[in-house]
Amino acid sequence: AIKGDPENAYLNAQLSEVYLRLNNFEKAEILGEKAVKGEPSNVEYRKSLGAIYATLKKYPEAKEQYTKITELDPTNQTAPLLLGILEAESGDFAKGVEVLTKTLSENPDNVMALFYRAKVYLEMDQIEKAKTDLDRCLTLRPTFVEAGTALGLIYEKTNQPEEAIKIYSRIRGT
C-alpha cells in the first residue's frame, strides 16, 4: 500500500493552489500554512499564503508573509510591490505610497509599482502625481490598457475630453 504524507510541503502547496482556484479560501489557507510550516524558506509558498491572507482581508498576516519574503530574498521585486498594495488596501495610503516609492527607487522602471502608486495617489486625491505615474507607465508600456484607461478617466473627470480621446486612441493603437 502507498503511504501518504500529509505534511509534504510541496503537496500541501499544490493542493492549496487548487482550493484557491476553487475559491475555497479556508482550505487554501490551512494547506498554505502547512506548506510554509514545512518549508519556511520557500518564497513561492509564502507569496501564495500572503495572497490568500489578503483575499481573506487578514492584512497583518499577509504583511508578515511579504515582509518575510523580503528578508529571505532581498532581490525579490514582487514582495515589496505586494506589500505596498496591501498597505494601501488596508487603508494606510501614506504607507502604501512609501513602500511603492521605495520599490521604485530600487527599480524606477517597475511599471506595476508606478501603476499601483498612481491608484493610491488617486485614492488620496493627488491627481497630478497620479497622472505623472500613469504617463510614465504608458511611456514604458504604451499598450498598458489599465494605465491608459485610468489616465483617460482622469482626463474625462477633469473636463479634458480631447486628452482622454488621445489616450484612449493611443492605447487602442489608432
Side-chain angles (χ1 to χ4, degrees), residues 4-15 31 34-36 38-39 45:
D5 182 5
E7 301 308 313
N8 183 296
Y10 174 77
L11 293 175
N12 283 322
Q14 291 302 112
L15 197 51
L31 292 162
K34 284 185 176 187
V36 168
E39 286 187 34
Y45 297 172

Side-chain angles (χ1 to χ4, degrees), residues 51-113:
I52 293 165
Y53 285 146
T55 301
L56 293 170
K57 303 210 181 310
K58 293 184 174 184
Y59 297 125
E61 292 89 342
K63 289 176 192 177
E64 181 182 328
Q65 294 306 313
Y66 298 144
T67 301
K68 186 66 177 175
I69 291 169
T70 61
E71 293 168 9
L72 291 168
D73 179 8
T75 65
N76 186 294
Q77 296 280 316
T78 306
L81 172 67
L82 295 172
L83 189 56
I85 294 167
L86 193 61
E87 293 288 2
E89 278 185 12
S90 64
D92 192 342
F93 299 128
K95 182 72 173 173
V97 167
E98 178 187 321
V99 173
L100 292 167
T101 299
K102 183 178 184 299
T103 300
L104 287 162
S105 73
E106 294 163 8
N107 179 3
D109 293 341
N110 186 325
V111 175
M112 296 312 291

